[in-house]
């Protein structure tokens, strides 16, 4: 099978169905993302007048940004080229089959020197669940199946901005920890936030109960808090970049410096031996 004919990583039909069943009280990651975006924008010395927000949960973002154009999280984004000075891709890039294409579409929608801000889940998300499900399935069935979606490491995610042609790219992350009564409680919350397994290669038959029982035991043995609750990690990655513009700072040409570093540091300069 060639790369061109390979099935997409994510089943978008299943993802849409599960998002329609999401529960408002489980969307705490999206609300945390809203607060993070507001904090970041408060530090940018710019007034944005034409924002667009790509999100699967419009109401959460519409309340915080009532003037923004809300865009559905589709493979082809409903964005007009050069119409926005701010684009926010909000908590859905980790479920995109073409993440670079999504960022390119946002970049094209920006005016020159427009700002792109991406919030998404990163590679440290659900590391505990990934570990216990993998070990439990290997012990019980002798094999492994795709259960927790692969999520990008921050180093690789930052490179997506450059591939999409954005200037001044920056990537950083924050890891949040939630606590749950047991594995069932965690699974219910993941279902409520529409972050359960929608990989195309996922098992399409019920998993043996013994796998989940063993996973629950492993989780309690290795990832329990002092109070006996189970911790779950969620890495929130933020990517920022600017649509290219002549007004932006550019690196100097080699040899064009007008002052010596030694002078700036008030240090002695010595010639190294050959």
């Amino acid at each position: 099978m060639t790369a061109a004919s390979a099935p997409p990583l994510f089943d978008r039909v299943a993802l849409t169905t599960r998002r329609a069943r999401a529960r408002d009280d489980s969307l705490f990651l999206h609300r945390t993302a809203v607060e993070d975006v507001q904090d970041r924008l408060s530090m940018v010395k710019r007034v944005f007048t034409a924002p667009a927000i790509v999100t699967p949960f419009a109401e959460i973002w519409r309340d915080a940004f009532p003037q923004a154009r809300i865009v559905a999280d589709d493979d082809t984004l409903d964005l007009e080229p050069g119409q926005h000075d701010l684009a926010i891709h909000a908590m859905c890039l980790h479920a995109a089959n073409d993440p670079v294409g999504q960022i390119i579409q946002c970049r094209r929608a920006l005016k020159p020197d427009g700002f792109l801000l991406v919030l998404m889940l990163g590679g440290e998300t659900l590391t505990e669940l990934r570990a216990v499900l993998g070990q439990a399935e290997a012990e019980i069935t002798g094999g492994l199946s795709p259960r927790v979606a692969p999520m990008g490491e921050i180093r690789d995610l930052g490179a997506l901005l450059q591939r999409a042609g954005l200037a001044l790219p920056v990537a950083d992350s924050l890891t949040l920890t939630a606590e749950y009564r047991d594995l069932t409680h965690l699974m219910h919350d993941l279902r409520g936030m529409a972050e359960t397994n929608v990989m195309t290669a996922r098992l399409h038959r019920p998993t043996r109960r013994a796998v989940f029982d063993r996973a629950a035991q492993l989780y309690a043995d290795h990832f329990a808090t002092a109070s006996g609750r189970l911790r779950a990690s969620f890495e929130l990655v933020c990517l920022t970049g600017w649509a290219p513009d002549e007004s932006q700072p550019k690196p100097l040409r080699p040899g064009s410096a007008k002052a010596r570093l030694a002078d700036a540091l008030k240090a002695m300069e010595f010639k190294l031996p050959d």
Side-chain angles (χ1 to χ4, degrees):
M1 181 179 292
T2 65
S5 62
L9 178 60
F10 296 107
D11 179 346
R12 297 287 298 183
V13 174
L15 179 61
T16 300
T17 299
R18 295 182 190 188
R19 283 174 173 171
R21 299 171 181 168
R23 300 192 313 271
D24 184 72
D25 59 353
S26 292
L27 298 178
F28 63 91
L29 291 175
H30 289 263
R31 292 188 169 85
T32 300
V34 169
E35 294 174 0
D36 189 70
V37 167
Q38 290 173 323
D39 287 344
R40 291 174 186 274
L41 292 179
S42 71
M43 295 183 283
V44 178
K45 295 181 179 179
R46 180 81 62 85
V47 176
F48 297 104
T49 60
I53 302 176
V54 179
T55 174
F57 299 110
E59 291 306 316
I60 291 177
W61 291 86
R62 186 178 288 118
D63 290 345
F65 299 89
Q67 303 304 316
R69 183 163 188 267
I70 303 297
V71 178
D73 168 36
D74 295 324
D75 289 335
T76 301
L77 301 177
D78 185 19
L79 291 168
E80 293 293 329
Q83 295 300 304
H84 301 281
D85 55 4
L86 170 65
I88 301 170
H89 203 293
M91 295 298 290
C92 45
L93 194 66
H94 57 276
N97 285 313
D98 182 13
V100 176
Q102 290 279 302
I103 297 177
I104 290 174
Q105 291 181 70
C106 289
R107 191 257 297 164
R108 289 174 177 167
L110 290 172
K111 300 176 181 180
D113 204 33
F115 188 45
L116 173 65
L117 200 158
V118 177
L119 269 295
M120 63 184 296
L121 294 178
E124 295 301 312
T125 298
L126 298 176
T127 53
E128 305 89 351
L129 182 62
R130 192 189 312 271
V132 300
L133 282 177
Q135 183 176 339
E137 187 171 25
E139 289 180 9
I140 301 300
T141 70
L144 289 173
S145 61
R147 292 192 176 275
V148 180
M151 298 180 190
E153 300 299 328
I154 188 169
R155 174 173 27 188
D156 301 323
L157 295 173
L160 297 182
L161 298 171
Q162 293 177 308
R163 290 177 60 187
L166 287 152
L168 310 173
V170 176
D172 63 75
S173 70
L174 169 69
T175 299
L176 308 173
T177 302
E179 295 184 3
Y180 294 91
R181 293 188 303 274
D182 49 34
L183 184 59
T184 300
H185 184 200
L186 169 58
M187 294 292 196
H188 284 170
D189 212 27
L190 292 177
R191 188 175 298 116
M193 63 178 77
E195 294 293 349
T196 50
N197 186 6
V198 292
M199 286 185 285
T200 303
R202 70 192 184 279
L203 284 179
H204 290 272
R205 63 177 186 275
T207 298
R208 292 168 58 182
R209 179 70 189 182
V211 172
F212 290 116
D213 290 342
R214 178 58 177 151
Q217 179 184 3
L218 290 167
Y219 215 132
D221 289 345
H222 297 286
F223 302 110
T225 67
S227 61
R229 294 174 70 84
L230 306 184
R231 69 177 188 270
S233 299
F234 297 93
E235 184 184 23
L236 196 63
V237 173
C238 179
L239 310 176
T240 61
W242 297 82
D245 185 71
E246 287 300 317
S247 66
Q248 293 166 350
K250 297 176 178 59
L252 295 174
R253 297 189 308 275
S256 63
K258 297 181 180 179
R260 299 188 311 153
L261 179 61
D263 293 338
L265 297 176
K266 297 181 180 179
M268 296 293 293
E269 186 175 23
F270 299 95
K271 182 178 180 181
L272 294 174
D274 296 332

